[in-house]
Amino acid sequence: MGYLYLLIAIIGEVVATTYLKSTNNFSEVMPTTYVVTGYGIAFYFMMLAMKTIPIAITYSIWAAVGISAITIIGALKYKEIPDFLAILGIGLNPSEG
């Protein structure tokens, strides 16, 4: 169950981070709701995942999958194409290399 909880946590974090840019300083109700709910889900399920998965493994998977997903979503939704240094930085994450 730990890895299922971690997957739910990652999805919550990715949803929240994706909508963070659309909140307009938290003045837009729906994006703000997605952000607050997403981060709440993310931290709750990450806590559950850490009951059975060591913290270092939990966090490295969270970071690697989250960064990769946000990079792809940023490119597709916001046309934020990562440059060479951004890709190099992502590649330096030991859990992704």
Side-chain angles (χ1 to χ4, degrees), residues 14-95:
V14 168
V15 167
T17 303
T18 299
Y19 280 95
L20 194 57
K21 190 170 185 168
S22 302
T23 64
N24 292 324
N25 297 320
F26 298 105
S27 64
E28 300 290 333
V29 175
M30 286 312 296
T32 299
T33 303
Y34 292 140
V35 169
V36 171
T37 304
Y39 283 131
I41 288 169
F43 287 112
Y44 177 74
F45 280 96
M46 188 172 185
M47 178 266 312
L48 292 178
M50 286 182 185
K51 289 183 178 186
T52 58
I53 306 170
I55 190 170
I57 303 299
T58 302
Y59 193 73
S60 65
I61 293 171
W62 161 290
V65 175
I67 289 169
S68 298
I70 290 300
T71 301
I72 292 166
I73 292 169
L76 295 174
K77 183 173 181 174
Y78 297 111
K79 307 297 185 227
E80 296 175 346
I81 308 302
D83 60 12
F84 173 75
L85 289 177
I87 293 170
L88 180 65
I90 292 167
L92 289 176
N93 184 335
S95 57

